[in-house]
Amino acid sequence: MTSENTVDLTAFVKTYDVRGLVGSQLTEEVVEAFGAAFADEIEGAGHDLVVGHDMRDSSPAFAAAFSRGAQARGANVVALGLCSTDESYFASGSLDAPAAMFTASHNPATYNGIKMSRAGAQGISLGTGLADVRDRAAAYLAEGVTPVEAPGSLREYDALADYAGYLRGLVDLAGVRPLKVVVDAGNGMGGMTVPAVLGEAAGLPGLPLEIVPLYFELDGTFPNHEANPLEPANLVDLQAAVVEHGADLGLAFDGDADRCFVVDENGDAVTPSAVAAIVAVREIARVRAAEPDADIAVIHNLITSRAVPEAIVSAGATPVRTRVGHSLIKDEMKATGAIFGGEHSAHYYFRDFWGADNGMLAAMHVLAELGHQGEPLSTLTNRYTPYAASGEINSTVDDVPAAYTRIVEAWASRGEVDELDGLTVSGTADDGFWWFNVRPSNTEPLLRLNAEAATPAGMERLRDEVLALIRA
């Protein structure tokens, strides 16, 4: 049976996932075609395929439609129901099965999407199979899904308790000093996973943590603020609550709870680079204790602070500098055997979590580090924030190549240049080192600037000069 569906899948199949508007782009028919296409791509007939979903209004129906398409092509669906993205990675890793997670992460309520993984929580991108899934789905939309002779089965698996227990086994929080922690779940999946992992909701023993909850009610309309802690406006409530309650720290999760942002006892945001450095040092020490002679590698992307590779080297491991990108870093984790990877966007990847990212696990490391010594978090994180950084500054430009060329011409003779990912130029001045990176967006007419220098004045000079070229 053919279909009149003319949805342009290329408009919302992104580099690393599917992300589109509910109704106009993502419909149950479209999602069912993706389910069938993914089952074909992974050769899933007769094998398990994990399917989970977040709390968005459209997610349960989409997960069911995807499952129908996958079962029609012979896959045996393991339905997680409500879960966080890293919980779906746990199921994919522990069951050694491919997975599909319905979420649009931090995007507004009008969006939904699909994050797909191969068995063992391995990422999939346009270059490693997602384009083929897209093209197969387009064919199924046009021609209908042809069922196989032996359709797949469906069984349910509530992974929450197993997931919580697994994380508790990786980071021991039982012996930390009592800590008061404000957690802003943003009405996202952290409202379900935090009580299970850091509390007693999954039947695990209590920890010396007093959790002050903000917006734990699962609500995909996001009535309080967008579940995107990368935007400073969405941290305001958490920052105020940390100060009001005299808490030791605050944690903010995005909608699908795979990213975690940290606020110190003063209500000040902790940079993801500082979190990456703290976790890296802890993971290096843990692996070194078990494997004294191991060659230990830790990944950081090229726009994390210089303090991150410095901390990695000081702890006795080898830093591996990579391009920016979720699935790319997962691939690098596997290729290099790295034990940990940190990104500026607060994605944190762990070898012992199948190379996948897990914001909850990063948060547990911060809690453990803070809880095993008496200093406040601001003192601890200041040690890993010695330099001045601009943060990522996005500029809309009419002619991206022309702006890029202006920067190359102005700076190529002034420092060391590399083009691993966009343009990075680094050098030294009278007041110390400096570097900047300019990357074009893959999807918009934007240039993204990140700059860092040894001093605030040096950073501001650098930032302003490069911005002037970008916006000329």
Coordinates of all heavy atoms in Angstrom, one line a residue, residues 7 41 48 68 70 103 129 160 166 174 187 189 217 235 272 280 287 298 310 326 358 362 382 418 443:
V7 N 6.4 14.2 3.5 CA 7.3 14.9 4.5 C 8.7 14.8 4.1 O 9.2 13.7 3.7 CB 7.1 14.2 5.9 CG1 8.0 14.8 6.9 CG2 5.6 14.4 6.4
E41 N 18.1 -1.5 9.4 CA 19.5 -1.1 9.5 C 20.3 -1.9 10.4 O 21.5 -2.2 10.2 CB 19.6 0.4 9.9 CG 20.9 1.0 10.1 CD 21.8 1.0 8.9 OE1 21.3 1.0 7.8 OE2 23.1 1.0 9.1
D48 N 16.6 -8.4 20.1 CA 16.0 -7.3 20.9 C 16.3 -5.9 20.4 O 17.4 -5.7 19.9 CB 16.6 -7.5 22.4 CG 15.9 -8.6 23.1 OD1 14.9 -9.2 22.7 OD2 16.5 -8.9 24.2
R68 N 5.7 -0.6 16.7 CA 4.9 -1.3 15.7 C 5.7 -1.5 14.4 O 5.8 -2.6 13.8 CB 3.6 -0.5 15.3 CG 2.6 -0.6 16.4 CD 1.2 -0.1 15.9 NE 1.2 1.3 15.4 CZ 1.0 2.3 16.1 NH1 0.8 2.2 17.4 NH2 1.0 3.5 15.6
A70 N 9.0 -1.5 14.1 CA 10.1 -2.4 14.3 C 9.7 -3.8 14.4 O 10.3 -4.7 13.8 CB 10.9 -2.0 15.6
T103 N 12.8 11.6 22.6 CA 13.0 12.8 23.4 C 13.5 13.9 22.4 O 14.1 13.6 21.4 CB 14.1 12.6 24.5 OG1 14.3 13.9 25.2 CG2 15.5 12.2 23.9
G129 N 25.2 5.4 9.5 CA 24.0 4.6 9.4 C 22.7 5.4 9.5 O 21.6 5.0 9.0
L160 N 14.7 1.0 35.9 CA 15.2 2.1 36.8 C 16.0 1.6 38.0 O 17.0 2.1 38.3 CB 14.0 2.9 37.3 CG 14.3 4.1 38.1 CD1 15.1 5.1 37.3 CD2 13.0 4.8 38.6
Y166 N 23.4 0.2 39.3 CA 24.7 0.1 38.5 C 25.5 1.4 38.8 O 26.7 1.3 39.0 CB 24.4 0.0 37.0 CG 25.6 -0.1 36.2 CD1 26.2 -1.3 36.1 CD2 26.1 1.0 35.5 CE1 27.4 -1.5 35.3 CE2 27.2 0.8 34.7 CZ 27.9 -0.4 34.6 OH 29.0 -0.5 33.8
A174 N 28.2 6.5 50.0 CA 27.7 6.2 51.3 C 28.6 6.9 52.4 O 28.0 7.2 53.5 CB 27.8 4.7 51.5
N187 N 11.1 19.8 35.3 CA 9.9 19.0 34.9 C 10.3 17.9 33.9 O 9.4 17.4 33.2 CB 8.8 19.9 34.3 CG 8.3 20.9 35.3 OD1 8.5 22.1 35.2 ND2 7.6 20.4 36.4
M189 N 13.0 14.3 33.0 CA 13.1 13.0 33.5 C 14.0 12.9 34.8 O 14.0 11.9 35.5 CB 13.7 12.1 32.4 CG 12.8 11.8 31.3 SD 11.1 11.3 31.8 CE 11.4 9.9 32.8
E217 N 7.9 17.3 39.0 CA 6.8 16.8 38.4 C 7.0 16.6 36.9 O 7.4 17.6 36.2 CB 5.5 17.7 38.6 CG 5.2 18.0 40.0 CD 6.1 19.1 40.7 OE1 6.8 19.8 39.9 OE2 6.2 19.1 41.9
L235 N 18.8 28.8 34.9 CA 19.4 28.5 36.1 C 19.0 29.4 37.3 O 19.4 29.1 38.4 CB 20.9 28.5 35.9 CG 21.6 27.4 35.1 CD1 23.1 27.7 35.0 CD2 21.4 26.1 35.7
P272 N 31.3 23.7 32.9 CA 31.4 22.3 32.5 C 32.9 21.8 32.4 O 33.2 20.7 32.7 CB 30.7 22.2 31.2 CG 29.7 23.3 31.3 CD 30.4 24.4 32.0
A280 N 37.6 13.8 35.6 CA 38.7 13.2 35.0 C 39.7 12.7 36.0 O 40.2 11.6 36.0 CB 39.4 14.1 34.0
V287 N 41.0 4.2 38.1 CA 41.6 3.2 37.2 C 43.0 2.9 37.5 O 43.4 1.8 37.4 CB 41.4 3.7 35.7 CG1 42.1 2.8 34.7 CG2 39.9 3.8 35.3
V298 N 42.3 10.2 28.3 CA 41.0 10.9 28.6 C 40.8 11.9 27.5 O 41.7 12.7 27.1 CB 41.1 11.7 30.0 CG1 39.9 12.5 30.2 CG2 41.3 10.7 31.1
E310 N 45.5 20.1 31.2 CA 46.5 20.3 32.3 C 46.2 19.4 33.5 O 47.1 18.7 34.0 CB 46.6 21.7 32.7 CG 47.2 22.6 31.6 CD 47.2 24.1 32.0 OE1 46.5 24.5 33.0 OE2 47.9 24.9 31.4
H326 N 28.6 14.7 19.6 CA 28.2 13.6 20.5 C 28.6 12.3 20.0 O 29.3 11.5 20.7 CB 26.6 13.7 20.7 CG 26.0 12.7 21.5 ND1 25.5 11.6 21.0 CD2 25.8 12.7 22.9 CE1 25.0 10.8 22.0 NE2 25.2 11.5 23.1
N358 N 26.6 10.4 30.5 CA 25.7 10.2 31.7 C 25.9 11.4 32.6 O 26.9 11.4 33.4 CB 26.1 8.9 32.4 CG 25.0 8.5 33.4 OD1 24.5 9.3 34.2 ND2 24.7 7.2 33.5
A362 N 28.3 12.0 36.3 CA 29.1 13.1 36.5 C 28.7 13.8 37.8 O 29.6 14.2 38.6 CB 29.1 14.1 35.3
N382 N 37.4 26.4 41.9 CA 38.3 27.5 41.5 C 39.7 27.0 41.1 O 40.4 27.6 40.3 CB 38.4 28.5 42.6 CG 37.2 29.5 42.7 OD1 36.4 29.5 41.8 ND2 37.1 30.2 43.8
D418 N 45.3 25.6 13.6 CA 44.9 24.3 13.2 C 43.4 24.3 12.8 O 42.7 25.2 13.3 CB 45.2 23.2 14.3 CG 44.2 23.1 15.4 OD1 43.0 22.8 15.1 OD2 44.6 23.3 16.5
T443 N 24.0 23.8 10.6 CA 22.6 24.0 10.2 C 22.1 25.4 10.0 O 21.0 25.6 9.5 CB 21.7 23.3 11.2 OG1 21.9 23.8 12.5 CG2 22.0 21.8 11.3

